[in-house]
Amino acid sequence: MKRRILVGGIAAAAAAATAPSASRRRIGISDVDRLHTRFTEVIANDHRHGGQLGIEQRATALADEALNLQNMGSATQRVRNSLYACAASFRSSAMWAAIDGRRYNDARAHMREAQVLAEMSGNQAIKFRIWSHAGTMYRHMGRPSHALAANDVARNLHITRRDPLFASLGLARQSAIHGVARDRTGTRRAFEQAQDAMLRADPADFRPVWMLAFYDQAELDSLGLSAFLALGDYQTAEFHAHRCLSALRPHMRRSLAITTTRLAHAQLAQGAVDAATVTAMSVPSDAATQHARVSRLLQKFGAALHATAPGSSTTQIWTEHHRNAWRTPA
């Protein structure tokens, strides 16, 4: 009798464990749409501020939220793939925030997670974003060979043959990598190919929000500025800086600060000390003090200015401005 009760209890417990929970529900496209809305918010916040730890942490939490939905109910395979794509998208944004903030160890950790999730989703666009970000990460780290290899993974995806805009972005970033490697021919050729591909792209084609939010002629010129500045072709770099600034969309506040700072570098390298200093001083204080890449570029500008015009009144003005206007709060 006791044995029958014991066996019956075990069977009941097993049945309870395997039976669908009353709290489980059907996961559908509306859940995916909600995550897409959150992703749009992350993208917008990134373009306003960029590189902040809070953006990285928020994106990571949302990636976990997308993955948790996989276990909260039943769903079609299409929905499950979309959830993996959402998780990969959030992880790629966390990766980018870490890159932008020069937290490269964290960026690599996010990259590994994002790559796995992207493969599980089968989404070509997010695979491109992750590998393209990896190329940018290695470029910022001064490792052009790694950067080219990672960027080539992105450029060899089928989506670059289907959509010229993806091809253009891959080529533009390749140009910037060639600039770091001091490959003059490769820099120019890749940039020209990127421009040609952009002109062939149909603006009406469907593209993910992260692509629509930032990649246009202004961003292409921003990458051209980065490429030719690294190459030491300062006149061409300045040309692309002015073109970028004239076309930059208002929400691209982080890009505005970076482009302005790089323009100052290009002007200073051509001997325009006063103009370069005025340009550098126009960088907004929040970007100058809170964005790692901008802060580092401005520090390098100050060092170059002191080396170029030591003891000049312009250098003194810069020093006072840097000390007073951009003082980091204690």
Side-chain angles (χ1 to χ4, degrees):
M1 180 68 177
K2 288 182 179 179
R3 183 177 181 277
R4 284 200 299 270
I5 293 172
L6 179 61
V7 171
I10 293 172
T18 57
S21 169
S23 64
R24 287 174 68 84
R25 61 184 179 85
R26 182 76 171 174
I27 308 301
I29 292 299
S30 62
D31 296 288
V32 174
D33 289 342
R34 179 178 56 80
L35 290 170
H36 284 167
T37 299
R38 298 290 179 268
F39 184 58
T40 301
E41 293 168 358
V42 169
I43 294 294
N45 202 23
D46 174 69
H47 287 305
R48 281 194 301 270
H49 307 294
Q52 301 301 308
L53 183 60
I55 297 174
E56 179 186 347
Q57 292 171 335
R58 174 63 173 158
T60 302
L62 286 166
D64 291 341
E65 182 179 324
L67 287 177
N68 287 338
L69 278 173
Q70 295 278 9
N71 301 318
M72 290 180 63
S74 60
T76 64
Q77 191 58 48
R78 174 170 170 258
V79 168
R80 293 200 181 280
N81 289 346
S82 296
L83 290 175
Y84 283 127
C86 287
S89 298
F90 286 124
R91 274 289 181 175
S92 68
S93 284
M95 173 189 176
W96 177 249
I99 293 169
D100 213 17
R102 298 181 59 79
R103 299 182 295 275
Y104 296 126
N105 287 336
D106 293 337
R108 282 193 290 261
H110 290 305
M111 177 182 70
R112 288 189 288 270
E113 292 284 342
Q115 286 167 339
V116 171
L117 293 167
E119 287 298 325
M120 293 166 72
S121 76
N123 186 299
Q124 286 264 310
I126 197 58
K127 288 181 186 180
F128 177 95
R129 188 185 196 220
I130 293 161
W131 281 106
S132 188
H133 279 174
T136 301
M137 176 182 70
Y138 288 121
R139 170 166 62 89
H140 288 322
M141 294 171 71
R143 300 180 184 177
S145 295
H146 283 25
L148 281 173
N151 195 58
D152 279 347
V153 176
R155 292 183 56 237
N156 288 330
L157 290 167
H158 176 69
I159 196 169
T160 63
R161 295 186 290 278
R162 190 174 72 236
D163 187 342
L165 198 66
F166 278 86
S168 175
L169 177 54
L171 285 161
R173 285 178 167 164
Q174 185 181 42
S175 177
I177 296 166
H178 282 315
V180 172
R182 301 299 179 92
D183 180 349
R184 188 172 298 274
T185 301
T187 300
R188 294 185 182 281
R189 180 174 59 241
F191 186 84
E192 289 170 0
Q193 291 173 339
Q195 184 69 78
D196 289 343
M198 175 169 279
L199 294 174
R200 287 188 282 107
D202 185 348
D205 284 352
F206 173 81
R207 296 183 177 96
V209 65
W210 61 263
M211 176 68 100
L212 294 174
F214 92 105
Y215 193 58
D216 54 12
Q217 184 62 52
E219 178 62 19
L220 176 56
D221 280 306
S222 174
L223 286 164
L225 162 61
S226 177
F228 289 103
L229 188 63
L231 195 63
D233 184 345
Y234 302 117
Q235 186 174 359
T236 304
E238 182 176 1
F239 167 78
H240 286 296
H242 288 300
R243 281 224 315 183
C244 173
L245 291 171
S246 68
L248 205 59
R249 286 176 278 177
H251 71 273
M252 303 288 282
R253 291 181 56 80
R254 182 259 318 278
S255 295
L256 173 64
I258 291 174
T259 301
T260 302
T261 308
R262 285 176 173 160
L263 171 59
H265 276 270
Q267 291 171 325
L268 182 62
Q270 295 176 82
V273 174
D274 292 345
T277 303
V278 170
T279 298
M281 288 170 61
S282 71
V283 175
S285 60
D286 58 342
T289 57
Q290 298 174 27
H291 191 282
R293 274 204 288 156
V294 176
S295 297
R296 188 166 183 265
L297 283 167
L298 287 170
Q299 288 170 3
K300 287 186 173 182
F301 174 83
L305 178 62
H306 280 279
T308 302
S312 70
S313 59
T314 301
T315 302
Q316 292 173 1
I317 291 170
W318 165 260
T319 301
E320 291 175 8
H321 179 83
H322 190 272
R323 182 188 303 119
N324 299 323
W326 293 339
R327 182 180 297 160
T328 304

